Amino acid sequence: MNQTQVGPQQLVLRRAGDPDVESLAGMLDGMPDFSLYMRFQTAIGKPPRPALVQQLVCPNGAAWVAERDREVVGHAMWAWVKGATVPTAELALIVAVPEQRRGLGVRMLTEAARDALASGAAQFVVMVSAMNDKVLRMVRRRWPTAAAERDGALLNFTIPAADFFASVN
């Protein structure tokens, strides 16, 4: 996939890479602290450390950015879960506040999951803060049978690949 037009207002979804480090850092720098904490479960600093942003655009899987008017407004990625007994990809995303609740997050997660599946993933893990009502509602609505395991302040949802795509489509 080179790029995909997502909506009528020039929203472009495309694979992320090294040239996106600066624009992704800019998006993260403009995000509310609470949103950043919900995604990273720690303070990432403002501006975010270059090493962190580099890992986001070049993970041990793949990453995507969504742009509107050449500004990054969303980031999604997948990364291999080390030590898993079944090939497992962790899915993660962050979407700029004005772009939330428009379907962009699900679209980006679906793109990442398709790529992870093509790379051999049999299941996905989505780690969500127990305080992140928006993402918890999305996960529970789309994948109601996903197994959830509590890990401190996080809920780790395990979603078999077949269930992920059955619920998204």
Side-chain angles (χ1 to χ4, degrees), residues 25-148:
M27 182 193 97
L28 295 174
D29 194 35
M31 296 286 296
D33 290 338
F34 185 74
S35 293
L36 293 172
Y37 184 79
M38 288 295 101
R39 164 58 178 90
F40 297 101
Q41 294 299 299
T42 190
I44 64 167
K46 287 193 176 187
R49 293 181 318 279
L52 169 72
V53 182
Q54 182 65 44
Q55 289 179 353
L56 293 175
V57 297
C58 298
N60 75 349
W64 287 260
V65 291
E67 293 180 319
R68 184 181 303 284
D69 299 325
R70 296 189 177 141
E71 298 278 332
V72 172
V73 297
H75 172 268
M77 61 178 276
W78 71 268
W80 290 114
V81 175
K82 293 181 175 142
T85 57
V86 172
T88 304
E90 178 186 350
L91 301 174
L93 80 134
I94 188 164
V95 175
V97 174
E99 301 290 335
Q100 292 176 5
R101 301 190 55 82
R102 295 175 158 189
L104 178 59
V106 170
R107 173 72 187 249
M108 295 184 79
L109 280 181
T110 301
E111 195 67 40
R114 281 190 181 120
D115 189 75
L117 182 66
S119 297
Q123 65 184 14
F124 306 107
V125 170
V126 178
M127 298 177 186
V128 184
S129 168
M131 297 184 314
N132 194 338
D133 292 332
K134 289 178 185 177
V135 175
L136 286 172
R137 279 194 306 270
M138 177 190 73
V139 169
R140 288 184 171 136
R141 184 175 55 245
R142 297 203 181 272
W143 304 288
T145 61

